[in-house]
Amino acid sequence: HYSLLPAFRGAAPVQHALLAGLAETGVTLQHLAQELDAGDIVAQAKLPIAEDDNTATLTDRLTQIGVSLVVEWLPRVCSGTAPRIAQDHALATLAPRLSKADGHIAWERPAVELCNLIRAVTPWPGAATSWRGRRLLVRSARVAQAREEGLPGQIIELPGEASRGLVVATGAGALEVLEVQPAGKQPMPAADWLRGARLALG
């Protein structure tokens, strides 16, 4: 299971770890149980979460350490000598499957939360905002040190010496949008998209 159980039981543990802004997660090898992800623990391995991780990259890295964990412990599992460490069910948290609606970008939220959201829902269901009535996915972003202020959703800086992407005001702080995906097109750097979109400050 792609979490350090009993944290994040459910279908989307990687996404929820990113949504929570955690610095670390991991994988758990567990015995099967009737209750969801509540089996006794055989072994666990921890993994730091990188600042630029999204669900795809973090899942790939967790898979690598998960395979190593299985290889290490499978002989003892097969022989029936593997440990059975009971989970503390009082500490359990849930990680239910996300829906397309969960990817909606509400610019009134703090920049840190939006950054975590974008990482969590990339590549699916995608972090979506709208531009001229069409869906626009934000594929990569980071919290910005903005020099200007604005209303949530307003562009307050364009790509230049200080930033690689466009900087958008949020409910608390600002978000630098680095990569976008317009409807029907491939992902592209925000600076490239802006050359065709012709957006202006404000």
Side-chain angles (χ1 to χ4, degrees):
H1 185 75
Y2 286 11
S3 79
L4 297 172
L5 292 172
F8 301 127
R9 295 176 178 176
V14 179
Q15 290 175 310
H16 282 272
L18 290 169
L19 279 173
L22 297 187
E24 182 181 71
T25 186
V27 294
T28 300
L29 189 61
Q30 61 168 332
H31 292 273
L32 289 177
Q34 284 192 330
E35 189 179 347
L36 178 67
D37 296 324
D40 292 343
I41 293 171
V42 175
Q44 294 182 317
K46 296 180 180 180
L47 182 71
I49 298 176
E51 290 185 0
D52 59 350
D53 264 329
N54 59 30
T55 291
T57 61
L58 184 54
T59 299
D60 286 346
R61 297 199 297 121
L62 288 169
T63 298
Q64 292 175 23
I65 67 169
V67 168
S68 298
L69 203 66
V70 170
V71 170
E72 178 183 358
W73 288 95
L74 188 58
R76 292 184 63 181
V77 171
C78 292
S79 68
T81 61
R84 299 190 72 104
I85 303 169
Q87 294 187 41
D88 186 345
H89 302 303
L91 298 178
T93 56
L94 298 179
R97 190 181 308 277
L98 300 184
S99 69
K100 197 170 183 178
D102 291 317
H104 171 69
I105 297 176
W107 293 104
E108 295 79 12
R109 294 174 63 182
V112 171
E113 291 184 10
L114 291 178
C115 187
N116 291 339
L117 170 69
I118 292 163
R119 296 165 67 202
V121 300
T122 299
W124 192 92
T129 186
S130 60
W131 172 68
R132 296 179 182 171
R134 303 193 69 186
R135 192 168 185 254
L136 177 71
L137 296 181
V138 177
R139 304 272 303 189
S140 175
R142 63 186 177 190
V143 176
Q145 301 297 321
R147 296 168 295 177
E148 304 291 337
E149 295 183 357
L151 298 175
Q154 281 188 332
I155 297 174
I156 55 177
E157 289 183 30
L158 295 172
E161 293 183 2
S163 62
R164 293 189 289 121
L166 67 152
V167 179
V168 183
T170 71
L175 196 70
E176 182 180 355
V177 177
L178 300 173
E179 185 181 50
V180 299
Q181 184 174 3
K185 296 186 178 181
Q186 294 297 312
M188 64 183 71
D192 292 349
W193 173 70
L194 278 171
R195 281 194 280 272
R198 298 179 182 178
L199 296 184
L201 294 175

